[in-house]
Amino acid sequence: MVHTGSCGDRLHDILVGYLPILTWMPKYKKSDLLYDAVSGITVALTLMPQSIAYASLAGLDPLFGLYAACFGSVMYIIFGSVRQITIGPASVVAFLTFNYVNPALPTTAVILCFVSGIVELICGLFRLGFVVEFVSMPVTGGFTSAAAIIMASSQLRGLFGISYDAKNCMEMWIKFVEHIEHFRLADTAMGLLCIFVLIGLKSLKSIKVNAKGIKAKSYSVILFLLTTGSNVLVVIVSSIIAYFSIRQGQSPLVLTGTIASGIPQFRLPFLDYEDEDEKFTFFEGLSRLWPGAIVVPLVSILSTVSVAKAFSGGKVIDASQEMIALGFCNIFSSFMGSMPVAGSMTRSALNHTTGVRTTFSSIFTTILGMLSLLFLTPLLYYIPKSSLSAVLICAVTSMFRYDMMISLWKTNRRDLIPFTTAFVSCLIFDVEMGLLFGICVDLLCVLYRSARPSISIEKETNSGYVKWVVRPSSGLLFPAVDFMRQRIIAEMSSSERPNKPNLIIVDCVHFDKTDFTAAQGIKSLINELKSESCQLELMNAKECVAAILEATLNVKILSMVPLQDSIKKFNF
């Protein structure tokens, strides 16, 4: 019986690990339902106009974004571990989708969504969450800052009502300057006005209410609705203006156009496709998406895990579980014809602000989205594209990490190297190359720091004998040992003969590992110092380090003894 209970407990722990819904569902209360409903509906009101804008950013029909908004977060209810996170169309992922999906074959966006989910799920099942730790915050900050500039640049054509095709940031600005003379006055006025209104509504957050009691609560609610619902308000008002500006079936504004209504049919994305009179198989569509099939899920994982860490409240986040949840979200939403989805920082922050209790809040976002698809799509026809561009530009400005740049400048300027590398490379080259360059440079910086630890040398003269105590700050791996050897030899070469040491003691207290090549480097240093009539001793080595060095050097190394006792032992 005991054995059975033990197995049952282990099975329960495994299930809870993979199905976080089991932790909160048994304790779910009516009060939780109310908070989740308010949060889900509030997020949906922000998500609907954003989803259309993000679909436009990806160069796709608005339906791809609406489907992503409706069905992207359904599976997160079951597999997600952070209640604040909302999964759906995201700006960076939409931008990457634009880079890899051929506008002539928009259905390949669904294949990209499905394959991204498969890659994310495999990474999670194989517990590869540690991989995201190799992408540091400076690299991510540089990448997202560059992406923000590129995305804002891509919306200039919609903002000014002009049309052109461009891929990278430099080409976007060149084409914009070439076509600016063809700008449409109505679209430009509408777009700029929407930006000013959005900025003004967002600034209401800084207003402090001096009233008390019911009046204070009323003011707070009004300010909250104006700030959180600013995107919806701008889209609704601009659509009303566009509707009444139509004369003889023509509008001075470029409108979103007809959007098909109804719930999409469930369809397996790995079947053959027929789109724009061209037939293609799943694998033919997949071949057109390389290397997006790797880059998109990687960036989605980084984005989602970053959001999860931001709202974890100091708790340890299981990155592998978040990969599994994100994988199932993409796989399920691809069955409904969605573009790729990921976690959103702004919507998750809104979810947190409204007091969300569990991941069940996403079901209310889905319900409201489905109702929109059933009944509101005829009204979406009148949304001006310039107002959507304004919404996008205001949304992505928060992605530009100038705060990180200032912080790095004040604290650790060396980390500005990978930040700047990722930022500049993304602007000049493709975003995947910029991300790759940033990661590589960051890893080189880490290797350089491990190979060049700070080394202090204390010199002591006693009865005519000179002793040096060398204290490296980290690592006893082979690049660091060679650097230490060069530093000691250089110090000896620069010292006059009376000041040359008779004994050099290396304090190994910070060494937690070593390797064979490093031990050989120590051995060559010992022999080199012997020719200078100098003795080298290693002290305070941990047992694991001492075992390797003793076997290689064939000497006895004292392990974890007080340093002063070690020095006294070798007084001549």
Side-chain angles (χ1 to χ4, degrees):
M1 294 295 291
V2 175
H3 178 71
T4 303
S6 178
C7 290
D9 291 340
R10 284 198 295 269
L11 178 61
H12 178 267
D13 292 340
I14 292 173
L15 287 175
V16 169
Y18 284 102
L19 300 172
I21 189 175
L22 298 178
T23 61
W24 57 262
M25 184 57 79
K27 300 178 289 185
Y28 201 72
K29 302 175 183 176
K30 291 182 180 179
S31 59
D32 296 332
L33 184 65
L34 176 62
Y35 278 97
D36 285 345
V38 171
S39 299
I41 293 171
T42 305
V43 169
L45 292 175
T46 301
L47 181 56
M48 288 302 115
Q50 276 189 350
S51 62
I52 299 173
Y54 290 151
S56 174
L57 175 62
L60 300 171
D61 187 275
L63 278 177
F64 288 90
L66 290 171
Y67 294 161
C70 288
F71 307 106
S73 60
V74 172
M75 300 305 289
Y76 197 81
I77 298 172
I78 302 171
F79 297 98
S81 60
V82 181
R83 69 180 187 275
Q84 292 93 342
I85 286 188
T86 61
I87 304 293
S91 51
V92 177
V93 177
F95 171 66
L96 291 174
T97 302
F98 170 75
N99 275 2
Y100 298 114
V101 173
N102 188 337
L105 297 172
T107 317
T108 52
V110 180
I111 297 177
L112 181 60
C113 181
F114 175 73
V115 175
S116 296
I118 294 295
V119 172
E120 290 154 358
L121 181 59
I122 291 174
C123 289
L125 292 176
F126 281 93
R127 315 305 294 178
L128 298 180
F130 69 91
V131 174
V132 299
E133 304 299 334
F134 287 97
V135 185
S136 67
M137 291 301 294
V139 173
T140 305
F143 168 75
T144 55
S145 297
I149 293 177
I150 298 172
M151 284 185 281
S153 302
S154 70
Q155 295 307 302
L156 291 175
R157 55 185 175 182
L159 190 69
F160 290 90
I162 53 183
S163 179
Y164 55 83
D165 293 323
K167 279 290 183 182
N168 57 52
C169 189
M170 295 182 66
E171 188 178 354
M172 289 175 188
W173 279 98
I174 292 172
K175 292 289 184 69
F176 173 71
V177 172
E178 291 175 350
H179 291 79
I180 188 60
E181 60 185 21
H182 303 298
F183 78 97
R184 297 167 61 97
L185 182 60
D187 289 284
T188 303
M190 175 65 75
L192 294 177
L193 180 61
C194 287
I195 288 178
F196 290 135
V197 172
L198 285 169
I199 294 173
L201 291 176
K202 295 292 183 183
S203 65
L204 294 178
K205 291 181 180 179
S206 60
I207 295 179
K208 295 182 179 180
V209 180
N210 294 323
K212 297 180 180 179
I214 298 176
K215 187 177 289 187
K217 291 183 179 179
S218 301
Y219 288 157
S220 298
V221 170
I222 293 172
L223 289 175
F224 177 77
L225 291 175
L226 287 174
T227 53
T228 58
S230 57
N231 291 339
V232 178
L233 184 62
V234 164
V235 168
I236 290 175
V237 173
S238 63
S239 299
I240 293 173
I241 295 173
Y243 176 80
F244 286 104
S245 68
I246 294 177
R247 296 288 184 272
Q248 298 178 347
Q250 298 293 322
S251 173
L253 298 164
V254 179
L255 305 180
T256 299
T258 304
I259 300 176
S261 61
I263 306 301
Q265 291 184 343
F266 186 90
R267 187 185 190 281
L268 297 177
F270 46 79
L271 300 178
D272 293 350
Y273 287 83
E274 183 176 351
D275 191 57
E276 298 289 339
D277 299 325
E278 182 181 353
K279 294 182 178 180
F280 62 94
T281 65
F282 170 78
F283 290 103
E284 288 173 344
L286 180 60
S287 65
R288 299 167 185 257
L289 297 172
W290 184 259
I294 300 298
V295 176
V296 171
L298 173 62
V299 173
S300 299
I301 289 170
L302 289 173
S303 173
T304 306
V305 173
S306 298
V307 176
K309 288 182 178 180
F311 293 99
S312 64
K315 297 179 181 178
V316 177
I317 291 297
D318 186 350
S320 297
Q321 180 59 33
E322 289 302 306
M323 290 179 179
I324 292 173
L326 184 60
F328 276 116
C329 287
N330 271 295
I331 291 171
F332 179 78
S333 57
S334 70
F335 293 158
M336 309 305 293
S338 161
M339 61 189 284
V341 296
S344 166
M345 179 64 78
T346 53
R347 294 195 300 271
S348 298
L350 178 60
N351 219 10
H352 176 70
T353 304
T354 51
V356 65
R357 295 290 178 85
T358 68
T359 55
F360 192 66
S361 64
S362 296
I363 199 66
F364 297 99
T365 304
T366 298
I367 292 172
L368 198 59
M370 293 173 68
L371 291 175
S372 300
L373 284 172
L374 287 171
F375 304 111
L376 298 181
T377 48
L379 301 178
L380 302 180
Y381 175 92
Y382 300 100
I383 299 177
K385 287 190 174 182
S386 57
S387 65
L388 291 177
S389 295
V391 168
L392 262 174
I393 290 173
C394 290
V396 300
T397 50
S398 61
M399 292 171 54
F400 189 83
R401 299 302 307 275
Y402 64 89
D403 56 329
M404 181 181 288
M405 295 173 63
I406 295 172
S407 179
L408 291 176
W409 179 261
K410 292 180 178 179
T411 57
N412 190 354
R413 296 182 184 179
R414 187 178 291 176
D415 280 339
L416 279 172
I417 298 174
F419 181 99
T420 306
T421 301
F423 179 75
V424 175
S425 299
C426 286
L427 292 179
I428 297 178
F429 308 106
D430 293 330
V431 286
E432 67 270 13
M433 292 301 296
L435 185 60
L436 180 62
F437 285 157
I439 293 172
C440 291
V441 170
D442 193 32
L443 291 176
L444 288 175
C445 289
V446 172
L447 290 174
Y448 180 82
R449 285 196 289 268
S450 66
R452 295 293 183 269
S454 60
I455 298 175
S456 67
I457 300 178
E458 296 179 8
K459 303 176 183 180
E460 180 183 341
T461 303
N462 187 12
S463 302
Y465 294 96
V466 181
K467 292 176 290 188
W468 287 3
V469 180
V470 180
R471 291 190 176 91
S473 61
S474 64
L476 194 61
L477 299 176
F478 68 92
V481 167
D482 189 56
F483 176 67
M484 183 181 70
R485 186 190 68 82
Q486 294 176 14
R487 176 75 185 279
I488 292 173
I489 297 300
E491 285 284 336
M492 291 185 65
S493 300
S494 62
S495 299
E496 297 294 335
R497 184 65 228 179
N499 294 320
K500 289 186 182 294
N502 302 101
L503 171 66
I504 295 179
I505 298 175
V506 179
D507 185 5
C508 305
V509 70
H510 296 299
F511 298 165
D512 57 355
K513 54 186 172 296
T514 189
D515 54 39
F516 178 78
T517 309
Q520 291 296 321
I522 293 288
K523 188 175 183 178
S524 65
L525 178 59
I526 290 174
N527 294 331
E528 194 168 354
L529 293 175
K530 279 183 180 179
S531 64
E532 296 287 336
S533 300
C534 180
Q535 183 179 353
L536 177 71
E537 294 293 340
L538 302 175
M539 293 297 166
N540 286 349
K542 293 181 175 66
E543 291 183 4
C544 57
V545 175
I548 297 175
L549 295 176
E550 286 174 357
T552 306
L553 304 178
N554 197 25
V555 296
K556 181 66 178 175
I557 299 178
L558 296 178
S559 207
M560 298 307 292
V561 299
L563 183 60
Q564 293 304 318
D565 293 347
S566 303
I567 296 174
K568 291 176 183 177
K569 172 181 171 60
F570 294 100
N571 275 335
F572 293 96

